[in-house]
Amino acid sequence: MRITTDTGRCVGAGQCVLTAPQVFDQDDDGLVTLLLAEPGAGEESAVRLAAGLCPSRAVTVHED
Ligand code: SF4
């Protein structure tokens, strides 16, 4: 699994950080930053949930 985020779409809602704090963080402006672009198996379900919860669809999961 690989993740990309689009800070142009991010509205700083923080759902991703609350759902998968090992993978996502927010910068000083509240925009998403990635701590782990290629999360391990233990993180995958939380990452999928975070991507689904993001209100602006700023998190994309790539299954490659
Ligand atoms: S949940 Fe979406 S909008 Fe909110 S901080 Fe994360 S990427 Fe940005």
Side-chain angles (χ1 to χ4, degrees):
M1 171 190 280
R2 183 171 58 86
I3 314 169
T4 53
T5 53
D6 183 348
T7 52
R9 296 180 67 97
C10 176
V11 295
Q15 294 300 322
C16 56
V17 180
L18 290 172
T19 307
Q22 313 88 334
V23 178
F24 302 99
D25 200 357
Q26 287 173 282
D27 68 13
D28 290 342
D29 295 322
L31 299 179
V32 65
T33 61
L34 268 179
L35 302 175
L36 278 177
E38 297 185 13
E43 258 82 54
E44 288 191 2
S45 60
V47 167
R48 286 197 182 87
L49 183 59
L53 287 172
C54 175
S56 60
R57 295 279 179 261
V59 177
T60 303
V61 174
H62 307 270
E63 306 284 358
D64 53 13

